[in-house]
Amino acid sequence: MSEVAVSPVPMPAKRRGAQLLMLALAVAIVMGAYANVGLAIDGQIPSGMLTYGLSLGGLMLAAYLVLAKFAPWADPLILPLVTVVNGLGLVMIYRLSESDSGTGRLSSPTNQLMWTLVGIVLFSLTLIFLRDHRALQRLTYTAGAVGLFLLVSPLIPFIGRELNGARIWVGVPGVPAAQIQPAEFAKLALVVFFAGYLVAKRDVLALASRRLLFIDLPRARDLGPVLIIWGVSLGVLVMQKDLGSSLLLFGTFIAMLYIATQRSSWVIIGVLLFVGGAILAGMVFDHVYQRFEVYLNPEDPALFDREFGGSAQLMQGLFALGSGGILGTGLGQGHPELVPLAFSDFIFSAIGEELGLTGLMALLMVYALIVERGLRTALAARDPFSKLLAGGLSFILAWQVFIIVGGVTNLIPLTGLVTPFMSQGGSALLANWILIALLVRMSDAARRPPPQAIQNEGLTQVFQR
């Protein structure tokens, strides 16, 4: 019996053990950073370190147990990587809360930990109730309608809210604390719609009418979907003053269109449409022009001192990045509280000041690994809808990080997006945990061996015993 060949199918238990070890290491890294902040500020380990450590560890252990039960074949790296990013965000928010500035009073690690708890609950519920992600394909147009409604809901009177010049919030009248950013959830619904629609129409959209230089141009009548999404994205930019969601929506659709058709002409057409539309909007609408004005001349004293829509926040963020240098000032030893909204829009600058370029490169590498695992899932998926959905969700995460980093470093105009899993706030954190749950579900389906292979593995172990 000992000569029976061992089945090449890996056993989930081995990967789950490795995942648990990596998860413990991720929590240990976060707690080490937490202790470092306390030692730098007060010369002693923070009194609440044990509470935060046990809370974060308990939440991730609960997520691990749900994943091991309902998605045992899922990629074991995704959850530990997300834990590191989410945990470091908690550390930086705690560090800002200990400062004496107004920024410190606005940041709250306890609230962020509570939002993380809700995010883990949504992550778990998604895995428990969505046993087969392919069921989402039947909801293609329903998801599209829901996504569009969520996207335009801030424009509805009485519930729409305008904050910091952008109308991207909805809330309950008379309850200031009850506010959410529906665009964060709209992006998930719209990715489901894009995936279902492109699976059905990809053969038509892949047809070429003529060749111009080295590019195969699509047929004119097939430009309809692109023009519609382009119009919606420009509407978001103009009506809601939300450059971030506009760029995120249109860029994701073009990327998924390229994945579906393999036509580079769609990417070129998409870039030309968006850049042309943004320039036209900047010429017509003053608030769009102000964004580009700050982008082109951030050091202008007149723009720096402007009360609304000025460059003070951007320049303070650039000063913080410059102060950090290569290795950073050290956790708890910089002055990130001088950057307005350092706990939210500009948390990337705060991290850059205290961890330096080295720390930022490490952080971006963690994001890159999360995206790489998602793209690996897309490559391993066994049906077109899963490939497009996994690819779209992975791209939207990577695209969001690029938009944020590009805005903070003045590579592109500044947007209102926040750093995934790190910035303080509930809407983005909850939506991104649902995104990770969808990737985990698809990873489990893609990596799960056929039933016959699992049966053979079980028989092999019986014979060996």
Side-chain angles (χ1 to χ4, degrees):
M1 294 296 179
S2 60
E3 296 180 359
V4 177
V6 178
S7 170
V9 179
M11 292 300 293
K14 296 180 181 178
R15 292 204 304 275
R16 297 283 75 80
Q19 184 183 41
L20 185 59
L21 181 61
M22 290 186 291
L23 204 56
L25 178 61
V27 175
I29 291 173
V30 173
M31 289 300 99
Y34 192 89
N36 198 1
V37 170
L39 290 171
I41 295 177
D42 300 323
Q44 59 184 4
I45 294 177
S47 58
M49 179 177 172
L50 183 61
T51 301
Y52 279 106
L54 291 177
S55 300
L56 181 64
L59 289 177
M60 298 311 162
L61 178 61
Y64 163 82
L65 293 175
V66 172
L67 189 149
K69 172 68 175 177
F70 296 97
W73 297 91
D75 192 311
L77 284 176
I78 295 178
L79 184 60
L81 291 171
V82 175
T83 300
V84 170
V85 179
N86 199 157
L88 290 178
L90 282 168
V91 170
M92 184 52 64
I93 292 170
Y94 164 74
R95 185 261 175 276
L96 290 166
S97 71
E98 293 298 302
S99 68
D100 296 327
S101 66
T103 296
R105 292 192 295 272
L106 290 173
S107 58
S108 173
T110 302
N111 288 347
Q112 188 71 357
L113 187 62
M114 293 301 299
W115 284 120
T116 302
L117 166 62
V118 179
I120 294 297
V121 170
L122 293 179
F123 171 87
S124 302
L125 292 176
T126 302
L127 291 180
I128 292 171
F129 291 103
L130 185 65
R131 299 298 183 90
D132 187 357
H133 63 278
R134 292 171 297 183
L136 295 175
Q137 188 173 4
R138 297 195 295 269
L139 303 174
T140 295
Y141 292 98
T142 302
V146 171
L148 285 176
F149 173 77
L150 291 174
L151 202 60
V152 303
S153 57
L155 299 176
I156 300 175
F158 304 111
I159 65 170
R161 299 286 184 273
E162 183 170 331
L163 184 63
N164 296 325
R167 193 176 180 86
I168 57 176
W169 299 86
V170 297
V172 179
V175 187
Q179 295 185 2
I180 65 169
Q181 193 172 342
E184 293 292 341
F185 300 95
K187 68 185 182 184
L188 301 178
L190 290 174
V191 168
V192 172
F193 167 69
F194 293 159
Y197 175 81
L198 292 173
V199 165
K201 304 295 184 181
R202 62 176 180 169
D203 291 336
V204 174
L205 294 172
L207 295 176
S209 61
R210 62 178 63 88
R211 188 173 182 84
L212 179 63
L213 298 178
F214 57 91
I215 303 172
D216 293 321
L217 296 177
R219 299 180 303 176
R221 61 177 175 270
D222 295 329
L223 290 173
V226 177
L227 294 177
I228 291 174
I229 300 300
W230 176 68
V232 171
S233 65
L234 285 184
V236 171
L237 172 61
V238 172
M239 302 298 295
Q240 299 182 4
K241 305 177 184 179
D242 187 5
L243 177 61
S245 295
S246 175
L247 186 57
L248 190 69
L249 167 65
F250 191 67
T252 301
F253 178 72
I254 294 299
M256 294 180 68
L257 184 56
Y258 172 74
I259 294 173
T261 63
Q262 300 297 305
R263 294 289 187 187
S264 58
S265 56
W266 285 118
V267 178
I268 297 174
I269 292 172
V271 171
L272 293 176
L273 281 173
F274 190 85
V275 172
I279 293 175
L280 180 62
M283 296 171 60
V284 177
F285 300 97
D286 186 60
H287 64 272
V288 178
Y289 172 75
Q290 289 180 0
R291 287 291 182 96
F292 285 97
E293 189 180 27
V294 168
Y295 164 64
L296 295 173
N297 303 291
E299 70 284 353
D300 187 339
L303 297 179
F304 187 90
D305 296 330
R306 191 161 61 190
E307 184 176 1
F308 295 105
S311 63
Q313 184 183 32
L314 174 61
M315 291 302 296
Q316 290 284 11
L318 292 175
F319 292 151
L321 290 174
S323 299
I326 301 296
L327 298 178
T329 60
L331 283 172
Q333 301 182 57
H335 295 282
E337 70 276 2
L338 298 178
V339 182
L341 298 179
F343 57 89
S344 180
D345 294 12
F346 273 72
I347 198 169
F348 190 83
S349 295
I351 293 170
E353 179 180 358
E354 301 206 332
L355 295 184
L357 179 63
T358 304
L360 290 182
M361 291 298 101
L363 177 62
L364 291 177
M365 185 60 69
V366 174
Y367 278 120
L369 286 172
I370 298 173
V371 174
E372 185 271 337
R373 305 313 290 187
L375 294 176
R376 183 182 289 257
T377 296
L379 290 173
R382 297 165 186 165
D383 62 281
F385 176 76
S386 299
K387 288 182 179 293
L388 274 174
L389 184 57
L393 292 174
S394 302
F395 177 83
I396 205 170
L397 182 61
W399 189 229
Q400 188 168 344
V401 172
F402 170 78
I403 293 173
I404 293 160
V405 175
V408 168
T409 58
N410 205 37
L411 178 64
I412 62 175
L414 192 63
T415 67
L417 296 180
V418 295
T419 310
F421 299 106
M422 299 198 74
S423 298
Q424 178 169 297
S427 302
L429 187 62
L430 301 186
N432 285 321
W433 270 111
I434 296 174
L435 184 153
I436 292 300
L438 293 174
L439 282 180
V440 165
R441 169 56 65 210
M442 288 183 286
S443 173
D444 176 72
R447 296 163 67 96
R448 183 182 295 272
Q452 185 62 37
I454 299 176
Q455 184 179 3
N456 291 340
E457 173 68 16
L459 292 174
T460 300
Q461 291 185 346
V462 171
F463 289 150
Q464 287 179 331
R465 288 197 293 268

